[in-house]
Amino acid sequence: MCVRNVLRLALIAIAVSLIGCDPAVVPTAPVGEDGFSLPSHGAGANEEEVTEVPRPTRPLRGPFTDIEFSWFVNHFAEAGCGGGLVAGAEARATGHVTALGRIDAVASAAWDWSVSAAGVYTPTGPGTGTSATVMTMYPHAFCSVPVLATGSPVLTQVNGDEVHGVVSGGEVYELGFNVPGDGQEQFIEVTIVGGTGRFENATGFFVIHAVVDIAAGEPLVIEIMPGGEIRYSPARPRGGRGDF
């Protein structure tokens, strides 16, 4: 009899507990403020989170050495063959700039002396009051000399990774070291449009500043001016999900 009563009481307790539960309610994961379930961090759960790789802004500036002009076009020569008052040059140099270290650089551009500079930059050399505006449409072919201004500067690191740019504006000022026109000061604006290796998705901006003694046939200064910047994703360790 006692055993039968105990079983009866147990059945009654189970029935009461079932009546107190709502069968429509199913236990769920914790809910966040946005209404979505929060991820489970129980045993066996994958706790790895996918995050966007940061692209910090790095300063880009520094001097160039071992500078060599591949070619130089005079605007008076261009005017003589119907090319207008357009001049241009291509230079190659080695430099050491922040964010990139030692680099080899090549750049070519053209500028129009019939369009005076807007005065964004101030020449450091002895200016004469005559100025030109750097062109933005490339490539530009000259008629007095069979050369082409690409308007596409390239900075190459020692490991072969390249930073690519496009000339996006700038100014050129005539200088007079001894006589008017025996020198020039150039401010070539460059927009970074990617590259190779770690710089495949690089962005940024810099200005190539050059002071040239035309009479002596040599540059006095070529540098990336302070104020330049570059953004690119850092490379991940090899053996991971790939390099950025």
Side-chain angles (χ1 to χ4, degrees):
M1 179 67 67
C2 293
V3 173
R4 186 178 300 170
N5 290 336
V6 170
L7 291 175
R8 183 180 300 149
L9 292 174
L11 290 174
I12 293 173
I14 293 173
V16 171
S17 65
L18 290 175
I19 292 172
C21 293
D22 185 353
V25 176
V26 179
T28 61
V31 177
E33 295 180 356
D34 58 358
F36 293 94
S37 296
L38 297 176
S40 173
H41 292 283
N46 183 3
E47 300 184 10
E48 181 179 359
E49 297 181 359
V50 178
T51 57
E52 183 180 352
V53 177
R55 289 164 52 86
T57 299
R58 298 171 169 86
L60 191 64
R61 64 180 184 273
F64 289 100
T65 58
D66 300 325
I67 306 156
E68 178 181 335
F69 282 102
S70 304
W71 50 263
F72 190 93
V73 176
N74 184 283
H75 59 287
F76 293 119
E78 278 296 287
C81 62
L85 294 175
V86 178
E90 179 180 88
R92 298 176 180 272
T94 298
H96 194 284
V97 299
T98 57
L100 301 181
R102 183 184 180 280
I103 61 170
D104 292 323
V106 58
S108 62
W111 46 92
D112 191 347
W113 289 98
S114 68
V115 182
S116 298
V120 175
Y121 302 95
T122 301
T124 60
T128 66
T130 301
S131 62
T133 297
V134 175
M135 299 173 64
T136 58
M137 299 297 292
Y138 295 94
H140 180 82
F142 295 92
C143 60
S144 60
V145 182
V147 293
L148 191 72
T150 66
S152 301
V154 177
L155 310 179
T156 305
Q157 281 190 312
V158 293
N159 67 353
D161 288 354
E162 297 178 352
V163 174
H164 296 170
V166 294
V167 174
S168 52
E171 301 174 347
V172 177
Y173 291 88
E174 181 184 77
L175 301 180
F177 293 107
N178 297 305
V179 295
D182 65 356
Q184 286 184 10
E185 187 157 0
Q186 305 161 358
F187 300 88
I188 311 296
E189 299 173 353
V190 179
T191 299
I192 297 173
V193 293
T196 64
R198 77 170 82 179
F199 305 117
E200 181 178 1
N201 297 313
T203 59
F205 177 85
F206 62 91
V207 178
I208 301 174
H209 172 227
V211 179
V212 183
D213 186 336
I214 297 176
E218 63 181 21
L220 303 179
V221 174
I222 292 186
E223 65 175 349
I224 293 180
M225 293 180 62
E229 61 184 37
I230 184 172
R231 291 175 294 278
Y232 62 92
S233 299
R236 285 191 173 185
R238 297 193 180 276
R241 294 183 178 179
D243 293 341
F244 285 85

